[in-house]
Amino acid sequence: MTKMAKNKNLIYIAASLVVFLLLAFLYSTPVFTGKQLFQHDIVQYRGGAKELIDYRNNFDKETYWSNSMFGGMPTYQMGSRFEGDIIKKIDSYLNILPRPVNYLFLLFSGFFLLGMVAVRNWKYALLGATFFGLSTYFYIIIAAGHNGKVNTIEYFAPLLAGILLVYIRKKYILGFIVTTLFFGLQVAANHPQMTYYLFLGLGFLFISELVRAIQKKVPMKHFLISSGIVAASLAIGVGMNSQRIMANSEYIKETVRGKQILNTDTNTAGNTGMDKESILMWSYGKLETLNLFIPRLMGGGSQEPEGKEMMENVQQLVQENVSSQAEYERIAKGFGSLTYWGDQPGTSGPAYQGAVVCFLALLGFFFAPKKYRYWILGATILTILLAWGSNFMFLSDFFIEYIPFYSKFRAPSSILVVVELLFPLIAIVGLYRFFKSENLGEDYKKKILTYVGGSTLALTLILILFGKPLLGFATDNEKTYLPPFLLDYLVDTRFGMFRTDAIKALLYVGITAAVLFFALKEKLNQNIALIIIGAVSLFDLWTVNKRYLNDDNYVDKIFAENPFQTEGSEYLAEKVGDNANLQSILASIPTNKALETIAEKDKKHYRIYNQVLGVTSETNTSYFKSSVGGYHAVRLRRFDDVMNRYISNVDSIKTPKILNLLNTKYMIFGDPSQPQVVPNPNANGNAWFVSDLKFANTPDEEIKLIGDIDTKKTAVINVGDKAYFNGKNVQQDSTASINLTKYEPNELEFKSKSRTGQLAVFSEVYYPHGWKVFVDEKEVPYLKADYFLRAVYVPAGSHNIKMIFEPEVIEKGKWISLICFALFIGLSAFGMFWLNRNNKKETQLKEES
């Protein structure tokens, strides 16, 4: 390539990046007025991370433990920062644009890099970037606030670009740099499930390259060198994230993703991961997979825009046709979502890839080179089958039982992110070869275009004409309980929604097929053809995405940054208007006010049990004070076991005993508009002495006993910890006392006084890693009591007791992270120096010759 051509290419690349920036801002126009996204999961994060953020602001350092949720837990999954985390700082610089402009720009740009590697043509790379960056699923998760997930997906395409640079383009040094950097960034984004799913798909690329080497289509030496470089890149990428990975690895073992402790109907002690029901709860239906092509094949999402009008019509039909209470109750049993009738419990929207993209992907499987075609096809088939989850148990059972780490993750439907990466890739690779390759032959191209285009259009037309009997448009539950007048209304309305989207798909595919046909006949310029295809796909995806992420998702800065309002006013109500997201803020004001009042009047360390907002579905309580509940998917296993047994299933006698163990001084009952604060005078306190020890033989016996005993006098200890009491004489002393004198989330101090040796039990959740206990400045061992709390033996006399959370894994991980980052920089600099020197030598030799 001449210098002029290179400069021209750089101009086109720069122009493409400007296009991505414009698209990202145009989609997110409310950011121009200072508004911010209102994301449910980020609201929950703000509440749960409040103690962590306050500590960081007050002390200018990090706490790796917080008592804000579920009795206390490490902050590794709550937004904690790590001192040696340079790669995360790079991620923050890349995401400097306002949300969601940052996500959209990086989704576009990352795939553009992949496109440039795959086809080395900026036009096709630009087209593919819009295919990928406008995938509907990304907009759904942005709206929900799954920022870690979309942050991880941002780096899918550039990571694959780096791997292809090594294997396909044989650019070892550049490939090493790109692969290492973007894998490190992907791990830093901290959504292991997405990364795991990506590598399940990329396993087919490795197998494909191995087969090509065995068949001698590429040298075996090249395959081995490439595999070594990629392996080194991945190892260094992991190493740069050592603090996060090591801390999380230590933590995960103690959570619901680690080994099960109890034997129940669904759990077996010693098994790793979640139970099958939890893993497979969000499984895609087999037919539902077609919503990659038609967005509302199964209604789209549980809360589609048409849902409000449908509910009004349903209510009117019920009023006109139902007279008895029994019939009302029967109808209630049959009601689910009006606008979603798929196999999942519910969904925010479809994994729509775009009618144009799916059609071009199908063509790509015939037109693309074999080095792309087969591994992408294999990865696509596997991920679709795994997305079916409980609807394809043969494969799901195999992966849960035999494939490492698969059982750690839930919601198999989300594995379709792999398809959403690979479909745009095979689409542009196939399209490029359709236009550029003379080896395929015009007759072959025409035949494939005719067969694939005709089949796609015919299938779509069949669904439009006969979709009602073929797809049903009603769930089994609805068919069982709903009367004919309601069922007919739902089926007709849902079919109308589907038909509208199906006709659009028919039109978009028809236009695309026609454009390709006329281009093949040289009646349409290739560039014009690409522009038309891009415009049709852009319009298609843009309009569908606006159903799920639109101006209604943006709110004034005050609501986004402080969603836990405590004072209502006419002005506030006027600002909220009919925005459904903000109405939930208004509804929570009385409860928030009650929480704020409690926290201001009683500034000591204790917990609040909030039944009004849902114990495991809110962090309003955590925003103001430590909560018994919270909102987090990765809870400590022991606390989760206790919650499932005693708190989620309320028992009028046993549940209060558990709340007392957690020093629950206040309970909130009633409804959000009139919360009732009930003080709990029976709370055990921050710590208490017991002299009666009850030894349990198994964890199942432990958890059972804590609901039966008087926990103020007796502690349940596992028989395996009996040796802890060797040489320790525990005797009753009615005058003994122990009181909390200092509280910070990662450091607690107590003063005790007793005439005899005592076992001090603390209302602090047991965690075996990082906590250190000191009695009079001397470190002493502690143990687990009452299944999930901490306890320590305290000798007779007056003592100062201190608990400090200082996980050694943080310091170890920091140095490994820094060393690996330095290694990456050093190897990259040496590689570029060596490459530059060789290029100069080659240039010099050419000039001399």
Side-chain angles (χ1 to χ4, degrees):
M1 186 183 289
T2 64
K3 187 175 181 181
M4 184 178 292
K6 284 183 179 178
N7 291 337
K8 193 174 182 181
N9 208 38
L10 287 174
I11 291 171
Y12 288 135
I13 291 171
S16 298
L17 295 177
V18 172
V19 169
F20 300 147
L21 198 60
L22 288 173
L23 285 174
F25 271 108
L26 283 172
Y27 195 93
S28 316
T29 50
V31 300
F32 288 116
T33 61
K35 289 189 174 183
Q36 296 182 10
L37 277 179
F38 186 89
Q39 301 168 292
H40 173 266
D41 278 23
I42 299 306
V43 170
Q44 301 287 29
Y45 158 76
R46 288 186 182 279
K50 180 66 159 52
E51 185 177 49
L52 163 66
I53 294 169
D54 285 349
Y55 184 90
R56 182 186 295 153
N57 293 336
N58 293 336
F59 297 98
D60 196 27
K61 59 181 181 179
E62 205 71 8
T63 174
Y64 293 107
W65 186 272
S66 172
N67 281 293
S68 64
M69 295 189 291
F70 300 114
M73 58 198 293
T75 61
Y76 309 143
Q77 296 276 332
M78 294 165 59
S80 57
R81 296 174 182 172
F82 300 97
E83 189 179 341
D85 210 359
I86 298 175
I87 192 70
K88 187 62 181 177
K89 291 176 183 176
I90 295 174
D91 171 69
S92 65
Y93 292 141
L94 289 174
N95 281 279
I96 198 169
L97 293 169
R99 191 183 299 151
V101 176
N102 58 333
Y103 298 144
L104 304 186
F105 177 72
L106 288 175
L107 287 167
F108 291 133
S109 303
F111 195 93
F112 183 77
L113 174 61
L114 175 60
M116 289 297 292
V117 171
V119 298
R120 291 183 285 195
N121 185 298
W122 69 270
K123 299 173 188 175
Y124 294 86
L126 174 61
L127 184 65
T130 61
F131 289 169
F132 175 72
L134 289 168
S135 299
T136 298
Y137 180 70
F138 305 155
Y139 294 75
I140 291 167
I141 59 177
I142 289 171
H146 299 170
N147 292 348
K149 184 181 287 187
V150 72
N151 192 190
T152 303
I153 295 169
E154 288 172 3
Y155 302 123
F156 272 20
L159 170 60
L160 178 53
I163 295 172
L164 293 181
L165 277 169
V166 176
Y167 277 113
I168 305 296
R169 300 299 178 203
K170 299 182 181 180
K171 302 288 186 181
Y172 299 135
I173 294 172
L174 183 59
F176 166 78
I177 294 170
V178 173
T179 302
T180 307
L181 174 63
F182 286 105
F183 182 65
L185 287 167
Q186 186 172 137
V187 176
N190 201 27
H191 203 293
Q193 183 175 5
M194 294 297 101
T195 301
Y196 181 85
Y197 287 161
L198 174 65
F199 275 88
L200 282 180
L202 294 187
F204 284 88
L205 172 58
F206 176 82
I207 294 169
S208 171
E209 289 303 302
L210 175 59
V211 170
R212 292 210 306 144
I214 292 171
Q215 294 176 338
K216 297 183 179 180
K217 293 182 178 179
V218 295
M220 181 61 74
K221 181 181 177 181
H222 163 67
F223 171 76
L224 295 174
I225 291 172
S226 298
S227 299
I229 290 172
V230 170
S233 295
L234 300 183
I236 295 173
V238 167
M240 289 191 293
N241 288 275
S242 291
Q243 272 184 298
R244 176 178 296 98
I245 291 173
M246 290 170 67
N248 278 311
S249 296
E250 186 177 79
Y251 171 52
I252 287 295
K253 294 173 186 175
E254 309 300 327
T255 72
V256 292
R257 307 294 171 91
K259 286 186 178 180
Q260 296 162 0
I261 300 171
L262 303 175
N263 285 300
T264 66
D265 293 339
T266 56
N267 296 341
T268 301
N271 282 0
T272 302
M274 298 174 286
D275 60 88
K276 284 185 183 179
E277 184 180 354
S278 299
I279 294 169
L280 302 174
M281 186 172 291
W282 269 268
S283 296
Y284 238 53
K286 293 176 182 178
L287 276 176
E288 192 173 2
T289 310
L290 285 174
N291 68 17
L292 287 163
F293 179 69
I294 300 173
R296 289 193 290 196
L297 184 92
M298 296 289 177
S302 302
Q303 302 294 328
E304 290 286 315
E306 290 84 352
K308 185 176 180 180
E309 182 181 349
M310 288 177 69
M311 177 57 73
E312 291 173 355
N313 291 336
V314 164
Q315 289 173 341
Q316 184 175 348
L317 285 169
V318 170
Q319 289 176 0
E320 292 173 353
N321 294 276
V322 177
S323 56
S324 70
Q325 183 64 29
E327 196 168 358
Y328 272 113
E329 292 174 359
R330 181 177 175 81
I331 289 173
K333 290 180 182 179
F335 257 101
S337 167
L338 293 176
T339 57
Y340 174 72
W341 53 92
D343 290 352
Q344 300 178 82
T347 179
S348 298
Y352 182 55
Q353 185 63 71
V356 173
V357 181
C358 288
F359 173 59
L360 291 176
L362 290 176
L363 290 175
F365 287 120
F366 294 95
F367 293 141
K370 292 179 181 179
K371 62 186 176 184
Y372 287 102
R373 190 188 309 174
Y374 293 131
W375 77 264
I376 291 178
L377 180 61
T380 298
I381 291 171
L382 176 67
T383 50
I384 285 175
L385 294 180
L386 286 173
W388 290 350
S390 58
N391 298 307
F392 200 67
M393 284 304 299
F394 167 75
L395 186 63
S396 295
D397 275 335
F398 176 81
F399 268 72
I400 291 169
E401 294 295 329
Y402 299 109
I403 302 301
F405 308 115
Y406 189 80
S407 64
K408 303 284 186 184
F409 307 116
R410 62 192 181 107
S413 59
S414 60
I415 200 174
L416 288 173
V417 292
V418 178
V419 178
E420 288 153 352
L421 169 69
L422 298 182
F423 265 28
L425 176 59
I426 195 69
I428 63 165
V429 172
L431 192 62
Y432 177 81
R433 201 152 180 255
F434 174 84
F435 280 118
K436 300 293 186 179
S437 176
E438 295 179 0
N439 296 332
L440 292 176
E442 184 177 334
D443 289 341
Y444 177 78
K445 293 177 184 177
K446 183 179 178 182
K447 182 176 73 172
I448 295 301
L449 181 59
T450 302
Y451 288 164
V452 174
S455 299
T456 305
L457 291 170
L459 174 63
T460 309
L461 188 60
I462 289 170
L463 289 175
I464 292 171
L465 296 175
F466 307 105
K468 193 177 287 188
L470 288 173
L471 300 175
F473 296 98
T475 66
D476 290 339
N477 194 56
E478 289 168 343
K479 292 174 183 176
T480 301
Y481 292 105
L482 296 186
F485 70 87
L486 270 185
L487 198 60
D488 289 345
Y489 168 75
L490 287 180
V491 169
D492 288 343
T493 307
R494 290 168 173 177
F495 177 65
M497 292 169 60
F498 156 78
R499 183 174 53 198
T500 299
D501 280 1
I503 290 172
K504 289 178 181 178
L506 188 76
L507 178 64
Y508 300 147
V509 171
I511 292 173
T512 304
V515 165
L516 293 177
F517 179 80
F518 286 121
L520 185 62
K521 292 294 184 181
E522 297 184 350
K523 294 183 178 180
L524 191 65
N525 180 273
Q526 181 188 136
N527 291 335
I528 298 298
L530 293 178
I531 290 171
I532 294 172
I533 291 170
V536 171
S537 175
L538 182 69
F539 177 80
D540 173 23
L541 287 164
W542 191 287
T543 53
V544 172
N545 294 347
K546 280 294 183 179
R547 297 172 185 170
Y548 308 106
L549 180 63
N550 51 53
D551 290 359
D552 290 341
N553 295 93
Y554 296 84
V555 298
D556 289 342
K557 186 176 179 180
I558 186 174
F559 295 119
E561 296 187 351
N562 183 19
F564 305 105
Q565 298 286 325
T566 57
E567 299 292 342
S569 66
E570 290 185 10
Y571 174 76
L572 194 66
E574 185 179 335
K575 294 288 287 182
V576 168
D578 59 357
N579 189 306
N581 291 318
L582 295 183
Q583 285 172 354
S584 64
I585 291 181
L586 283 185
S588 299
I589 285 177
T591 305
N592 292 341
K593 184 63 178 178
L595 291 165
E596 182 184 57
T597 302
I598 294 170
E600 289 178 349
K601 288 184 177 179
D602 191 342
K603 297 185 181 297
K604 295 179 180 178
H605 172 49
Y606 53 86
R607 294 184 181 86
I608 297 175
Y609 171 72
N610 188 346
Q611 199 181 65
V612 172
L613 299 178
V615 181
T616 61
S617 58
E618 59 89 24
T619 60
N620 298 59
T621 306
S622 302
Y623 185 84
F624 296 96
K625 206 68 181 176
S626 296
S627 175
V628 170
Y631 182 84
H632 203 282
V634 192
R635 301 193 285 268
L636 288 171
R637 169 75 73 181
R638 288 185 176 274
F639 191 91
D640 191 65
D641 288 341
V642 172
M643 174 160 283
N644 290 337
R645 187 179 183 110
Y646 291 112
I647 298 176
S648 298
N649 298 311
V650 177
D651 182 293
S652 59
I653 296 174
K654 295 181 179 181
T655 299
K657 288 185 177 183
I658 304 305
L659 294 177
N660 292 340
L661 274 175
L662 287 165
N663 191 27
T664 307
K665 287 182 69 175
Y666 300 93
M667 298 176 287
I668 304 181
F669 301 104
D671 61 71
S673 62
Q674 291 182 319
Q676 299 171 9
V677 177
V678 180
N680 178 24
N682 299 316
N684 288 21
N686 300 112
W688 58 96
F689 283 135
V690 297
S691 54
D692 184 16
L693 306 180
K694 197 167 188 67
F695 292 97
N697 293 312
T698 65
D700 295 87
E701 189 178 341
E702 283 180 74
I703 199 169
K704 178 181 180 299
L705 284 171
I706 61 173
D708 298 330
I709 63 170
D710 181 351
T711 58
K712 291 185 175 70
K713 297 178 181 179
T714 305
V716 177
I717 309 294
N718 188 279
V719 71
D721 292 323
K722 202 168 188 177
Y724 177 85
F725 296 96
N726 290 344
K728 298 180 176 72
N729 188 19
V730 178
Q731 294 183 345
Q732 185 177 2
D733 176 10
S734 60
T735 65
S737 63
I738 180 169
N739 297 294
L740 179 70
T741 57
K742 176 186 176 181
Y743 171 75
E744 289 175 11
N746 56 1
E747 184 175 343
L748 300 93
E749 292 185 14
F750 302 83
K751 284 191 179 296
S752 73
K753 186 176 182 180
S754 65
R755 292 178 296 186
T756 61
Q758 300 283 317
L759 181 68
V761 181
F762 302 87
S763 64
E764 303 298 327
V765 172
Y766 174 79
Y767 184 70
H769 311 290
W771 277 106
K772 297 178 181 178
V773 179
F774 301 85
V775 175
D776 298 330
E777 304 301 324
K778 180 183 178 181
E779 187 173 358
V780 298
Y782 65 98
L783 79 162
K784 167 178 54 63
D786 295 335
Y787 188 77
F788 72 127
L789 298 181
R790 294 173 227 156
V792 68
Y793 173 78
V794 181
S798 298
H799 300 283
N800 291 318
I801 304 165
K802 183 185 291 186
M803 288 184 174
I804 301 177
F805 189 60
E806 293 179 337
E808 295 178 3
V809 71
I810 299 296
E811 192 64 19
K812 289 179 182 177
K814 181 181 80 171
W815 287 109
I816 297 173
S817 296
L818 292 173
I819 290 168
C820 287
F821 189 81
L823 181 63
F824 166 59
I825 296 298
L827 289 174
S828 300
F830 175 77
M832 294 304 294
F833 170 77
W834 184 84
L835 189 64
N836 186 52
R837 189 182 67 175
N838 279 6
N839 288 340
K840 284 183 178 179
K841 283 184 179 180
E842 289 178 8
T843 303
Q844 187 176 357
L845 288 171
K846 286 179 181 179
E847 289 175 352
E848 290 175 355
S849 61

